[in-house]
Amino acid sequence: QVQLVESGGGSVQTGESLRLSCAASVYIYTGDCMAWFRQAPGKEREGVAAIYAGTTTDYADSVKGRFTISRDNSKNTVYLQMNSLKPEDTAIYYCATKRYDGRCFVPSTIRYWGQGTQVTVSS
């Protein structure tokens, strides 16, 4: 059983930054997917950023150039640095992990989820 605990959410103004952290209770193999998803009210959960196969990263088009995912294997932790935040980034952000199968961004295939952390961006 893997437990994921997110932290770092909060309320910021447009253009500001936040860094989310996700600590796993066990070592996550670097080949596996570690991903961030988000869900805004009334919308489906969507993949935001993923890291897998060591240091390979993938991003949703809406956050490319603004968000950066990274991991510290010594701490079993993955981070999401979010810069130039926009009101449309407002959502609950979830950390997730699964065995890599080329579909890190498909919510229905995720095995383990964190509890989520709220990010609110006001204009």
Side-chain angles (χ1 to χ4, degrees):
Q1 188 75 11
V2 178
Q3 293 184 328
L4 302 172
V5 180
E6 302 101 332
S7 60
S11 296
V12 297
Q13 300 285 326
T14 297
E16 293 185 341
S17 299
L18 281 173
R19 189 177 82 152
L20 306 183
S21 299
C22 171
S25 59
V26 298
Y27 173 76
I28 304 296
Y29 174 53
T30 57
D32 289 342
C33 294
M34 289 293 294
W36 288 96
F37 288 76
R38 67 185 181 188
Q39 189 165 19
K43 294 188 176 181
E44 294 186 352
R45 194 168 297 190
E46 62 174 354
V48 174
I51 186 166
Y52 55 94
T55 57
T56 302
T57 57
D58 197 12
Y59 297 93
D61 288 343
S62 58
V63 305
K64 282 181 181 177
R66 300 188 298 122
F67 290 12
T68 303
I69 188 170
S70 61
R71 66 194 298 170
D72 184 337
N73 296 322
S74 68
K75 298 181 179 179
N76 296 333
T77 299
V78 64
Y79 304 97
L80 185 67
Q81 178 66 42
M82 305 186 294
N83 298 330
S84 302
L85 283 162
K86 305 175 181 179
E88 50 263 44
D89 294 319
T90 295
I92 299 175
Y93 283 71
Y94 298 90
C95 179
T97 188
K98 57 174 282 185
R99 286 291 177 94
Y100 178 67
D101 62 356
R103 301 183 297 165
C104 292
F105 279 170
V106 180
S108 61
T109 67
I110 295 294
R111 184 172 184 184
Y112 298 105
W113 293 97
Q115 82 287 352
T117 185
Q118 177 71 47
V119 172
T120 303
V121 185
S122 56
S123 56

